Amino acid sequence: ASKHLRAHFCSAQFIYHNCDLVVFCSRSEPRWASVNRGVLICDECCSVHRSLGRHSSQVRHLTHTPWPPTQLQMVQTLYNNGANSIWEHSLLDPASVTSGKRKANPQDKLHPNKSEFIRAKYQMLVFVHRIPCREDDSSTAKDLSKQLHSSVRTGNLETCLRLLTLGAQANFFHPEKGSTPLHVAAKAGQVSQVELLTVYGADPGAPDSRGKTPIDCAREAGHNDLADRLVEIQYELTDRLAFYLCGRKPDHKSGQHFIVPQMADSSADLSELAKAAKKKLQSLSNHLFEELAMDVYDEVDRRETDAVWLATQNHSTLVTETTVVPFLPVNPEYSSTRNQGRQKLARFNAHEFATLVIDILSEAKRRQQGNPIVSPKDNVELIMKNVAVRHCSDSQDNDQPDYDSVASDEDTDQELPSSKGDRTKSLDSDLSDGPITMQEYLEVKTALSASEAKIQQLMKANNSLSDDTSPMDSDPTLPSTEDVIRKTEQITKNIQELLRAAQENKHDSFIPCSERIHVAVTEMAALFPKKPRSETVRGSLRLLTSSACRLQGECRKAVPSEGCPGPDMQLVTQQVIQCAYDIAKAAKQLVTITTKENTN
């Protein structure tokens, strides 16, 4: 990952240093990009963009996130050619001043002024150009799609983005031409058009009237690099999931299209609930499995972006307006059942979520290759050791809801078809009695997680009975918010040094960085009572200290042992980053808790 970052660092810096006071968010030094909107944004605006969800804005950090070089070039081209005018079209009309419409100013408050403007601009598309209404909307969409089909053979990206915004379909099949826009762009070698179309959902595997895919068209025209990129895009979902776990991607050029890591302690995952979860996953229809896989992809993106966000922010502002996104935002195009299931993914701790990702990868490979249902062991290509050691969960308050304000499961008109009338089926019923839903699969996974957590809780309770304090003891006083913020900033500074070392492949700096982080964590934990009465505080402290210890262990793996083969540095780096993220997350939770308690 770090090599990939360095390879494109100069390109990212080109964008970064050519943004001055005319930058779209009216501030200098934007560090983020919205890929599907083709704009650059600052940290403050990014905090709102991330809360919109990937269906509205797909955000990436310019230098701390690995970029496919051609996708970065696509964003740069849109930026340089005024993509922002698409999203602010009506504001460019002089009449907008008299109508009361205006762009948010840099001096405005983030909430509500800037956040409301950003939502109106990118989520509700209030300011985009609108085509006058016609009786036949399908005819309008067809005309726009035909224009897109013709435009992608040129390099005019902003025209195609306008057409997509107005309703042109990226997967439109031209009845006379017998192809989709992606076929045309691939044949013409228009790399940036290919990137834009696929960001908007174009399928690299769609056949034309000859049965040829866009990948075939690119190869026939001699655009082999573009064909290879289209193959990568075709496997983007499973590649992203594999890279999230082990820092590796398949070598598609050699015919390897899947990597299915295995948990180091998978032999212990033999409970009836675990078996039931795998069997239910295998019983999902292809449509529902694809939906679940896409939701898990979105959750991976949320977690990885959170890690970058926490590592690049000034933590003294964590308790104010720019915070992490706690779970996947609601997508209004999805049913209430699916939205609730998506948001429950945030409750899985690192080990539980890694298990789910491995299940998805194993099942995706089985379905792609048309293999019968077999043991997951038969599908393993990579043995991943020590990935996501079991640790305490996110320690969120049990009184908090699992999801945002969305319609309830009783809204049967929006339920997935196969979920109706199946809400009361027990987990131990016959698993072969018909198709099951994503929600049922997630319920089994959640039950598995809950049973494991309950066992751990009982064991901890049993171990602490001898030295438990009396229930009548007074509640210990929490430290001041200022002290907690000061220690959090020390932790963050050291985490940033560690991430820089990872980016620059300075593996010999891992151990000293981890030791400084451990010292800072120990000092922060010492601020709190030894036995806080709040379970939320106890959970956050456990996550903080256990992650710091785990980080030291992972960093030691970067040093080769005498007589032993060298470590897989990509895997080590990925685990180091995950530990650092858990530490930053726990510190943020403690800042929030102490602020709330001290305010009360």
Side-chain angles (χ1 to χ4, degrees):
S2 55
K3 290 180 180 178
H4 196 81
L5 275 172
R6 284 207 316 277
H8 313 305
F9 184 77
C10 293
S11 297
Q13 287 296 86
F14 175 83
I15 296 179
Y16 184 88
H17 287 305
N18 278 273
C19 296
D20 51 16
L21 293 177
V22 299
V23 71
F24 301 141
C25 61
S26 301
R27 294 185 58 157
S28 60
E29 299 184 352
R31 300 196 296 176
W32 299 81
S34 175
V35 179
N36 58 324
R37 301 308 188 193
V39 297
L40 304 184
I41 49 181
C42 66
D43 286 5
E44 193 174 55
C45 291
C46 180
S47 68
V48 181
H49 274 256
R50 294 184 52 233
S51 69
L52 303 180
R54 293 187 72 254
H55 53 282
S56 294
S57 184
Q58 300 171 18
V59 297
R60 279 177 171 266
H61 197 281
L62 288 176
T63 56
H64 283 69
T65 303
W67 281 79
T70 50
Q71 187 181 76
L72 182 62
Q73 180 62 44
M74 181 267 290
V75 174
Q76 179 178 329
T77 301
L78 285 173
Y79 164 75
N80 290 334
N81 287 278
N84 191 58
S85 63
I86 296 174
W87 315 112
E88 294 184 357
H89 177 84
S90 64
L91 295 179
L92 301 177
D93 185 349
S96 65
V97 178
T98 58
S99 67
K101 294 179 180 178
R102 74 170 184 87
K103 183 174 180 176
N105 293 320
Q107 296 79 19
D108 288 342
K109 291 183 178 180
L110 179 60
H111 297 292
N113 305 71
K114 290 181 181 177
S115 61
E116 288 181 356
F117 175 78
I118 291 171
R119 290 182 184 279
K121 179 178 175 180
Y122 294 110
Q123 190 173 55
M124 296 178 282
L125 305 182
V126 170
F127 310 117
V128 301
H129 174 66
R130 298 293 182 186
I131 295 178
C133 294
R134 294 161 60 174
E135 292 184 2
D136 189 356
D137 289 340
S138 62
S139 177
T140 301
K142 185 175 181 180
D143 289 344
L144 290 169
S145 298
K146 285 186 174 181
Q147 292 181 48
L148 178 67
H149 190 279
S150 175
S151 297
V152 294
R153 70 179 72 253
T154 73
N156 200 334
L157 271 184
E158 61 276 15
T159 296
C160 294
L161 181 58
R162 285 183 187 275
L163 291 169
L164 289 164
T165 303
L166 291 171
Q169 299 300 305
N171 281 311
F172 171 73
F173 186 86
H174 199 299
E176 290 83 21
K177 306 293 184 181
S179 59
T180 69
L182 192 58
H183 286 93
V184 176
K187 183 177 180 180
Q190 292 291 343
V191 179
S192 291
Q193 295 283 19
V194 166
E195 291 289 349
L196 179 63
L197 289 169
T198 52
V199 163
Y200 275 81
D203 181 7
D208 63 9
S209 57
R210 303 177 300 152
K212 300 290 186 179
T213 68
I215 300 172
D216 298 327
C217 291
R219 293 207 189 280
E220 287 177 353
H223 307 304
N224 290 322
D225 288 343
L226 178 55
D228 291 340
R229 172 62 183 146
L230 280 165
V231 172
E232 290 179 358
I233 293 171
Q234 188 173 27
Y235 289 95
E236 179 187 358
L237 189 149
T238 49
D239 283 3
R240 178 80 177 270
L241 300 189
F243 190 82
Y244 170 74
L245 289 182
C246 63
R248 287 182 55 191
K249 290 184 179 180
D251 183 5
H252 297 292
K253 290 183 180 180
S254 67
Q256 180 196 35
H257 298 309
F258 293 93
I259 290 178
V260 184
Q262 185 179 24
M263 300 295 290
D265 58 352
S266 60
S267 60
D269 190 20
L270 298 174
S271 69
E272 290 304 315
L273 279 171
K275 293 177 182 177
K278 288 184 174 67
K279 193 167 184 180
K280 279 187 176 289
L281 181 63
Q282 293 167 347
S283 301
L284 287 175
S285 67
N286 285 337
H287 172 69
L288 292 181
F289 175 74
E290 287 174 1
E291 288 188 349
L292 176 59
M294 288 189 291
D295 293 343
V296 171
Y297 176 97
D298 286 351
E299 176 65 12
V300 165
D301 181 82
R302 185 194 71 82
R303 293 186 180 214
E304 289 187 333
T305 306
D306 260 3
V308 174
W309 179 261
L310 287 167
T312 56
Q313 298 305 298
N314 176 0
H315 281 249
S316 63
T317 65
L318 280 174
V319 294
T320 56
E321 297 174 326
T322 55
T323 59
V324 297
V325 177
F327 44 68
L328 291 174
V330 174
N331 187 333
E333 296 184 1
Y334 295 162
S335 69
S336 60
T337 302
R338 184 175 178 185
N339 272 312
Q340 292 167 7
R342 281 164 57 87
Q343 295 181 351
K344 287 177 181 177
L345 291 172
R347 303 301 293 269
F348 285 59
N349 65 26
H351 182 276
E352 295 158 357
F353 188 64
T355 304
L356 173 59
V357 171
I358 290 171
D359 287 349
I360 295 290
L361 285 169
S362 178
E363 183 62 12
K365 179 184 178 184
R366 184 187 71 80
R367 295 187 186 220
Q368 177 75 16
Q369 297 181 346
N371 295 333
I373 297 176
V374 294
S375 168
K377 293 181 180 179
D378 296 333
N379 285 335
V380 172
E381 295 178 355
L382 173 67
I383 303 300
M384 184 177 65
K385 297 181 180 179
N386 298 322
V387 58
V389 175
R390 294 181 184 267
H391 59 80
C392 67
S393 66
D394 291 347
S395 304
Q396 298 181 15
D397 194 332
N398 291 334
D399 293 333
Q400 292 179 346
D402 285 343
Y403 46 85
D404 211 343
S405 300
V406 297
S408 68
D409 284 5
E410 296 174 358
D411 185 7
T412 55
D413 289 340
Q414 295 188 20
E415 264 194 322
L416 294 172
S418 58
S419 68
K420 295 181 180 181
D422 211 23
R423 295 295 95 202
T424 59
K425 185 183 294 182
S426 68
L427 296 178
D428 58 355
S429 62
D430 184 3
L431 293 170
S432 61
D433 56 359
I436 58 97
T437 67
M438 288 188 300
Q439 186 71 6
E440 288 178 319
Y441 171 71
L442 286 176
E443 285 171 0
V444 175
K445 295 294 290 186
T446 303
L448 176 61
S449 303
S451 63
E452 178 182 327
K454 187 66 176 178
I455 292 173
Q456 296 296 327
Q457 184 181 2
L458 291 173
M459 291 176 63
K460 290 176 182 177
N462 183 57
N463 292 336
S464 62
L465 279 176
S466 59
D467 57 355
D468 232 357
T469 57
S470 168
M472 299 302 293
D473 288 348
S474 59
D475 212 357
T477 304
L478 293 179
S480 69
T481 304
E482 292 75 14
D483 288 343
V484 176
I485 288 176
R486 187 166 58 253
K487 293 299 181 184
T488 299
E489 289 174 341
Q490 291 178 7
I491 294 172
T492 304
K493 179 182 178 182
N494 290 316
I495 287 177
Q496 290 171 338
E497 291 179 4
L498 178 64
L499 293 180
R500 279 195 294 269
Q503 180 179 335
E504 297 169 3
N505 273 347
K506 295 181 179 178
H507 302 129
D508 54 345
S509 299
F510 279 14
I511 291 179
C513 283
S514 68
E515 289 175 348
R516 286 193 291 271
I517 292 172
H518 189 270
V519 170
V521 164
T522 303
E523 291 176 351
M524 181 170 181
L527 296 174
F528 290 81
K530 291 185 178 180
K531 296 181 180 179
R533 299 297 293 269
S534 168
E535 175 56 34
T536 306
V537 174
R538 290 199 299 271
S540 298
L541 286 170
R542 283 196 299 267
L543 178 59
L544 182 74
T545 54
S546 64
S547 299
C549 291
R550 190 157 59 91
L551 175 65
Q552 285 189 303
E554 294 295 340
C555 288
R556 291 191 190 102
K557 296 177 185 177
V559 180
S561 301
E562 187 175 350
C564 297
D568 183 341
M569 292 313 304
Q570 285 187 320
L571 175 57
V572 170
T573 300
Q574 183 69 17
Q575 293 307 304
V576 165
I577 292 172
Q578 180 62 49
C579 292
Y581 164 61
D582 289 341
I583 293 170
K585 182 176 183 178
K588 179 260 178 183
Q589 290 173 348
L590 290 170
V591 170
T592 304
I593 293 168
T594 52
T595 301
K596 180 179 178 181
E597 291 296 324
N598 290 329
T599 301
N600 294 339

